[in-house]
């Protein structure tokens, strides 16, 4: 088991979320936090999201803002869109995270879909809750060239220099994280970050991506 020290952040968890009976109650609780600006809070819309999904979203973001406090006060948050697309969710610096209500209105079914596609379209060792981490990586890195910078740094650092005919790095990424992680720099980072945050046994790629995004955010805050 890999020990990711950077994951061990102490923060106070708000147990009130467990008592929420409706998605709107979760939304109201989020709005009591300092997570989003007034504009971000106004944009928060989860009406077509299952209450259990909303609770998991709350817990994921509670952890995210504890690790990355620089993300607080954002003008973008979460919204819902009904789409026939097979995409569960999407995220960017400009839009925040958009959940596809086609899936998020039936969280139990989404959980099954997620479990059935492990290693293909999501990282090994993660579960449905960790979609939020994947999408929020996009929110944190789609401004500027940060995703590409992290990709180049990590893949260069972990580049295999073994015998000729050995596994290619893309094959190692697919085997250790997911096939989707080989699509491009953005998805490599998002899948790696998702695995770092969600798995008890993250790959070396996942650990290095987490370290890089954490280092960058600390640098931007003047911590390092």
């Amino acid at each position: 088991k890999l020990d990711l020290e950077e994951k061990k952040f102490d923060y106070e968890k708000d147990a009130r979320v467990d008592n929420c009976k409706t998605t709107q109650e979760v939304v109201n609780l989020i709005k009591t936090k300092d997570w989003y600006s007034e504009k971000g809070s106004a944009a928060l819309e989860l009406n077509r999201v299952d209450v259990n999904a909303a609770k998991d979203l709350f817990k994921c973001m509670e952890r995210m803002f504890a690790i990355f406090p620089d993300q607080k006060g954002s003008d973008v948050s979460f919204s819902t869109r009904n789409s026939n697309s097979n995409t569960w969710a999407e995220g960017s610096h400009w839009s925040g995270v958009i959940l596809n209500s086609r899936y998020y209105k039936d969280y139990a079914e989404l959980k099954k879909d997620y479990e059935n596609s492990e290693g293909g379209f999501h990282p090994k060792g993660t579960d449905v809750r960790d979609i939020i981490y994947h999408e929020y990586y996009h929110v944190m890195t789609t401004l500027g060239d940060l995703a590409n910078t992290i990709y180049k740094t990590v893949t260069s650092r972990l580049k295999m220099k073994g015998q000729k005919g050995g596994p290619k790095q893309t094959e190692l990424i697919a085997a250790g994280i997911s096939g989707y992680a080989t699509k491009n720099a953005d998805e490599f980072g998002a899948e790696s970050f998702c695995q770092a945050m969600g798995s008890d046994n993250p790959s070396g790629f996942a650990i290095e991506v987490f370290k890089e995004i954490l280092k960058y955010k600390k640098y931007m805050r003047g911590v390092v």
Side-chain angles (χ1 to χ4, degrees):
K1 180 179 178 180
L2 295 173
D3 187 13
L4 186 58
E5 290 295 330
E6 289 83 355
K7 287 175 66 176
K8 297 180 179 178
F9 289 84
D10 292 326
Y11 62 96
E12 185 175 350
K13 298 179 181 178
D14 194 334
R16 291 179 295 173
V17 69
D18 294 322
N19 297 322
C20 291
K21 299 292 190 295
T22 66
T23 297
Q24 187 57 49
E25 289 180 5
V26 178
V27 170
N28 293 341
L29 184 58
I30 292 173
K31 289 183 178 181
T32 68
K33 305 293 183 180
D34 60 349
W35 296 352
Y36 301 108
S37 67
E38 184 175 338
K39 183 177 178 180
S41 290
L44 183 65
E45 189 276 294
L46 300 174
N47 293 338
R48 290 162 289 175
V49 171
D50 179 275
V51 64
N52 291 316
K55 289 180 179 182
D56 279 347
L57 183 155
F58 179 96
K59 293 174 182 178
C60 287
M61 295 314 299
E62 185 176 51
R63 185 179 176 210
M64 283 292 302
F65 288 124
I67 299 173
F68 300 98
D70 57 287
Q71 294 300 124
K72 290 182 179 181
S74 174
D75 286 342
V76 293
S77 50
F78 285 77
S79 60
T80 313
R81 178 183 299 159
N82 188 29
S83 171
N84 289 325
S85 166
N86 292 326
T87 302
W88 295 325
E90 57 186 273
S92 78
H93 170 81
W94 303 278
S95 67
V97 178
I98 302 172
L99 305 176
N100 188 344
S101 62
R102 176 186 174 190
Y103 299 103
Y104 273 87
K105 66 184 178 183
D106 189 343
Y107 202 42
E109 189 62 30
L110 177 57
K111 181 178 180 179
K112 292 179 183 177
D113 289 345
Y114 196 93
E115 291 173 348
N116 290 335
S117 60
E118 180 175 296
F121 287 98
H122 73 264
K124 296 176 176 65
T126 62
D127 64 37
V128 69
R129 296 170 294 184
D130 302 319
I131 294 173
I132 299 303
Y133 295 131
H134 173 113
E135 298 305 337
Y136 210 75
Y137 180 84
H138 291 315
V139 174
M140 292 194 293
T141 62
T142 49
L143 181 65
D145 203 36
L146 184 55
N148 280 320
T149 298
I150 291 175
Y151 173 79
K152 291 175 183 177
T153 299
V154 171
T155 54
S156 177
R157 183 180 299 155
L158 298 182
K159 187 173 179 61
M160 295 293 290
K161 295 183 179 179
Q163 295 181 344
K164 185 177 181 180
K168 297 178 180 179
Q169 193 170 57
T170 53
E171 294 172 339
L172 294 173
I173 292 170
I177 306 172
S178 70
Y180 194 50
T182 66
K183 181 180 179 180
N184 54 40
D186 289 304
E187 301 308 339
F188 167 80
E191 291 284 89
S192 295
F193 182 75
C194 171
Q195 190 183 58
M197 294 291 285
S199 174
D200 289 332
N201 189 28
S203 66
F205 292 108
I207 291 173
E208 293 303 317
V209 166
F210 184 90
K211 287 180 178 178
E212 286 302 312
I213 187 68
L214 183 64
K215 182 171 67 176
Y216 176 81
K217 293 299 181 180
K218 283 185 174 180
Y219 174 79
M220 293 303 290
R221 298 203 313 272
V223 177
V224 294

